[in-house]
Amino acid sequence: IPVLDHDVLRLLMEQDKTYFTPGTKYRYSNSAYSLLALIVEARSGNTFAWFLRESIFRRLKMSSTLAYERGLSVVPNRAFGYSPEGSGFKRTDQSLTSSVLGDGGIYSSVADLYHWDQALYTDKLVSQKMLKLAFTSGPATEHPDTGYGFGWFIGQYRGLKESWHSGNSVGFTTRIARFPEKKFSVIILTNRNEAQIAEFPHRIADWYLFPSE
């Protein structure tokens, strides 16, 4: 039986302390995103998948994007996840936590994510005040000179502001890097486990933004 967001809440309720005083350090937390999804459900009165569809995907015409719900969702032309095995690959498409939606479970395309990326320059989804908070660094992370905002690593690359994030699950590896001063973004989606794509956005930025160097 797959783990769902409300199962994550039950696990969190068994904890009696935090790793550190909130706001003093940084630690990525999938369970915190799951809790956030449950808060959205409580405030909206609907499922998290419904809220994403009506409040984000339809508003931005992201017609090939959805939050996957087992037994309810149909994903046309979807890629399946794979992991290297010997000289080939084996399908590793789902894990016990693949149905948790707060921290994943979104099926999309590069074209749709472009619509979402462009919306972050406007107030179509959230206010400019909230966007400023999202793209403001909090405590430093394990990455040198990099902080974390609301769902974004915040740093610099070759003198340009850079907001980025990576993502992975069994069979998939993804990355997005935004250089807002140039309104230039790199979006990479792969259906391979632990694909080595971390430096690809910088290499692409080098070719496009610094062609004469």
Side-chain angles (χ1 to χ4, degrees):
I1 300 175
V3 175
L4 301 175
D5 294 86
H6 58 75
D7 298 312
V8 176
L9 176 59
R10 282 198 287 268
L11 292 172
L12 289 174
M13 291 175 67
E14 295 177 4
Q15 309 305 312
D16 60 2
K17 60 183 178 180
T18 60
Y19 287 106
F20 46 79
T21 302
T24 62
K25 296 182 181 180
Y26 162 83
R27 183 184 177 100
Y28 185 84
S29 174
N30 282 309
S31 55
Y33 282 104
S34 180
L35 180 59
L36 182 59
L38 294 175
I39 293 172
V40 170
E41 290 189 344
R43 293 290 293 171
S44 68
N46 286 286
T47 66
F48 188 54
W50 181 93
F51 179 86
L52 293 177
R53 183 179 69 246
E54 299 301 319
S55 300
I56 299 178
F57 304 151
R58 285 187 174 174
R59 289 175 69 179
L60 299 183
K61 295 182 171 55
M62 298 171 66
S63 57
S64 297
T65 302
L66 56 80
Y68 186 79
E69 296 175 289
R70 188 176 182 180
L72 299 175
S73 302
V74 176
V75 186
N77 306 312
R78 99 162 176 84
F80 290 90
Y82 292 87
S83 295
E85 183 176 69
S87 60
F89 290 86
K90 65 176 180 179
R91 183 179 289 188
T92 53
D93 190 67
Q94 298 288 318
S95 70
L96 185 64
T97 58
S98 292
S99 294
V100 178
L101 291 183
D103 66 341
I106 308 299
Y107 288 81
S108 191
S109 67
V110 169
D112 271 10
L113 288 173
Y114 169 76
H115 292 306
W116 176 71
D117 169 80
Q118 293 299 292
L120 297 180
Y121 291 110
T122 73
D123 56 4
K124 286 183 179 179
L125 296 180
V126 295
S127 67
Q128 290 299 312
K129 180 180 179 180
M130 183 63 72
L131 285 171
K132 184 177 181 180
L133 288 172
F135 292 115
T136 298
S137 295
T141 74
E142 67 274 16
H143 304 280
D145 301 317
T146 303
Y148 199 80
F150 290 172
W152 292 95
F153 287 100
I154 311 296
Q156 290 193 349
Y157 179 67
R158 300 187 67 172
L160 294 174
K161 293 180 181 179
E162 180 187 17
S163 306
W164 64 275
H165 216 290
S166 58
N168 64 80
S169 64
V170 56
F172 299 91
T173 310
T174 64
R175 200 171 184 96
I176 180 172
R178 306 180 77 242
F179 304 90
E181 293 160 309
K182 298 292 185 178
K183 288 196 173 181
F184 180 77
S185 299
V186 179
I187 300 168
I188 303 174
L189 309 178
T190 78
N191 61 330
R192 173 174 174 168
N193 190 50
E194 297 183 356
Q196 302 303 304
I197 60 173
E199 286 305 312
F200 282 11
H202 287 171
R203 290 166 60 183
I204 293 171
D206 287 343
W207 295 330
Y208 190 86
L209 299 178
F210 306 96
S212 61
E213 299 181 18

